Amino acid sequence: MSARWRYIIQESAKGLRRNPLMTVAVILSITVSLTLLGATLLLRDQIDLATDDWVEQVEVSIFLCDGTTCPPITDEQQETLRRDLEDQPVVEEVIYESKEEAYERFSELFKDQPNMLEIVEPDILPASFRVSLVDPDEFLIIRDQFEAYPGVEDIVDQREILTQFLNFTRIVRNGALAIAVIQLAAAALLIGNTILMSAFARREQTAIMKLVGASNWYIRLPFLMEAVITGLLGALVSWGLLYGVVPRVTEGLSQEVLLMPFIGVTEVIAAGPPLLLAGFGIAAISSIVALWFFQDS
Amino acid sequence: MIKLKNVTKTYKRGADDEVVALKDVSLEVGKGEFVFVVGPSGSGKSTFMKLLTREQLPDAGEIYVAGKDLTSLRSWKIPALRREIGYVFQDFKLLPNKSVSENVAFALEVIGKGRREIQRRVPEVLELVGLEDKTGAMPHELSGGQQQRVSIARAFVNNPRILLCDEPTGNLDPSTSVGIMKLLDRINRTGATVVMATHDQHIVDSMRRRVIELENGVVVRDQSRGVYGYAG
């Protein structure tokens, strides 16, 4: 048994060394496609993470008049508004945010941008009711009911901002996925072609093996191994690229965008096994198909 | 050992053009026999050999080799059939980057024989073919006759029950051919069935063994202790 495996490993190594440039081309092509695939996996993780966090925090902001654009809300109007909000069945929780609290939150958000803080005076920001909903889709009910209340300046669905962000991310992800699939198809063809060339270069040896009664898997395994090794190498390189790049990018982003959590090293590490599996699978399938054609011809 | 029953094989050349390679051939070769298959080019000799190794399937009829029904043999069982058959080619088909003993050992390695058996069996068979002092030589360092001996050693190293030889002396001069025939005769005496396709009149005439003559895909003569042609 060990002599057999030594033969198979030797033969696959021979195949890889026969045309080193081709081997590098195949590995690079797999790397590019799997890096894109890995990026789409990580973008999905990012979307999931952001959605979870945002959806939990989603609130409707009801800004209250402070006299700049409409007559300031009276204590009585504010009390009625709060009571009616709390009575509304789709509302889960109502929190009052005063002008001071609003400014505090604002300063916290923009603490790295001093000029923003200079522009905005503490009393410019309106007080508001921050309302969380049982079902975020019920925003329209809230708007229709409370828009006309005296002392209400504006009602904003914070989720809309999230939706815009998510739509953008999805477009990026789908685009990356489409390119990844095309690249993967190209990589598969390249692997198939390489294996065909490898099989053709050794056709005399293969013919003799067939005639002396070597089993089919024994004849094919070196070629299969050759392809799988390139597939796994490509997957490893793409994993390494993602590992080196993604955590840096998300760390940078998380310093810019404070409102949202970002994926980190953990998610990149978790993306490894699917990438290796994809590299293995694409190499195995395309070489099996190629050898099947080779044997038929 | 070999049995053909009403075997027909045609090749398609284009849409309507068909070439009949073998037409309703029935014959039997017993265990331990030595048989020449003769006939002009295109008479069906090659097709006959290819059917025996299950490289091709007949269009009609039945073929039995070493107790196996080839027409119903599952493809994954073909390797087991071929381990019962040794095959010698006209052009030797040695691997140029392997030495004599490596070429012979290769046939055992790829069917998964253990190292101990390979180390015992390879020198044995190289001695049988008279190349015990050439074990380390590369094929290009050998004469045609020596290369054919390596090829026979490779075909016989696994102790097959049948040895198929396709024009084994076709590339050799007459005196070298005699040596090869003596070797095949010796192998035949160990109990192996030998089937040899050939054009070589002198060899057939001098051996006086069974001769099956094919012409246009039909057996026109099957004669024990025969000669190449009727005229002798």
Side-chain angles (χ1 to χ4, degrees), chain A residues 238-255:
Chain A
S238 71
W239 194 8
L241 279 175
L242 291 171
Y243 185 85
V245 171
V246 171
R248 272 164 227 248
V249 170
T250 54
E251 208 191 305
L253 278 174
S254 69
Q255 280 172 5

Side-chain angles (χ1 to χ4, degrees), chain A residues 1-4 6-7 11 14 204-205 207-216 218, chain B residues 53 55 75 79 82-83 85 87 89 93-96 106-107 109-112 115 154:
Chain A
M1 208 57 195
S2 70
R4 285 186 149 200
R6 207 180 48 223
Y7 163 81
E11 287 298 309
K14 246 188 244 171
E204 284 183 2
Q205 185 169 333
I208 291 165
M209 290 173 78
K210 273 188 198 163
L211 268 177
V212 301
S215 61
N216 282 332
Y218 193 74
Chain B
T53 53
E55 270 180 85
S75 63
R82 292 188 181 156
R83 288 174 200 192
I85 302 172
Y87 205 99
F89 305 88
K93 291 209 193 305
L94 300 177
L95 296 172
F106 182 69
E109 281 165 10
V110 299
I111 58 171
R115 197 181 309 179
R154 182 182 62 195

